[in-house]
Amino acid sequence: MKEKLLLFGFEDLPSILAVQGAVAPLGIEVVSVPRADYGKTMAVLAGLEREKAPSGPDSGLPLGGRMMVLVGLTDKVEQVLPLLRSAGAGCLKAVLTPNNRTWSARRLYGELSREHRAFQGGK
């Protein structure tokens, strides 16, 4: 599996370039996902599956914030996260798993947001 970092909600070039520059030494491909693709599954966006049927029309609405999905980086997470922090890429992050690979970007963002709020409320 090719190592990738999927970016959602990164709509300005300087922030995308900062992320690319941070992970370039590790050979990680950075993919900025357009809003029109937020209804596709994570597996399709990661290039692991072909889209079986075109997804319905997407509203093109933003997710409500930024999100990153690490694909094929399980062994490098501890290396990648500090690099992303130093690049100023603070946002929700997830690793592609067998459980979330069938989820859309909108569903994954919603789940991460709920978990983040629960974690913040528990402090």
Side-chain angles (χ1 to χ4, degrees):
M1 175 181 331
K2 183 158 174 52
E3 298 174 332
K4 293 181 183 180
L5 187 58
L6 303 178
L7 305 181
F8 299 86
F10 284 73
E11 298 180 0
D12 59 298
L13 187 57
S15 62
I16 295 168
L17 293 175
V19 170
Q20 284 179 325
V23 299
L26 299 177
I28 298 167
E29 179 184 1
V30 175
V31 178
S32 181
V33 179
R35 285 184 193 177
D37 290 344
Y38 288 0
K40 295 180 181 179
T41 68
M42 289 291 112
V44 168
L45 295 173
L48 303 175
E49 293 179 0
R50 289 184 177 257
E51 194 171 8
K52 291 172 181 68
S55 52
D58 194 279
S59 64
L61 293 174
L63 295 176
R66 292 179 171 184
M67 174 177 71
M68 292 183 188
V69 178
L70 290 72
V71 178
L73 296 169
T74 307
D75 297 336
K76 292 185 179 176
V77 170
E78 290 185 22
Q79 277 182 288
V80 171
L81 293 179
L83 295 173
L84 294 173
R85 266 192 298 280
S86 68
C91 66
L92 297 175
K93 296 173 187 70
V95 173
L96 184 69
T97 67
N99 187 50
N100 66 23
R101 67 183 281 135
T102 61
W103 297 1
S104 69
R106 295 188 189 290
R107 178 172 178 197
L108 181 56
Y109 185 85
E111 293 291 329
L112 291 175
S113 294
R114 279 188 283 286
E115 288 176 11
H116 183 73
R117 284 192 303 275
F119 179 74
Q120 296 298 346
K123 285 189 171 187

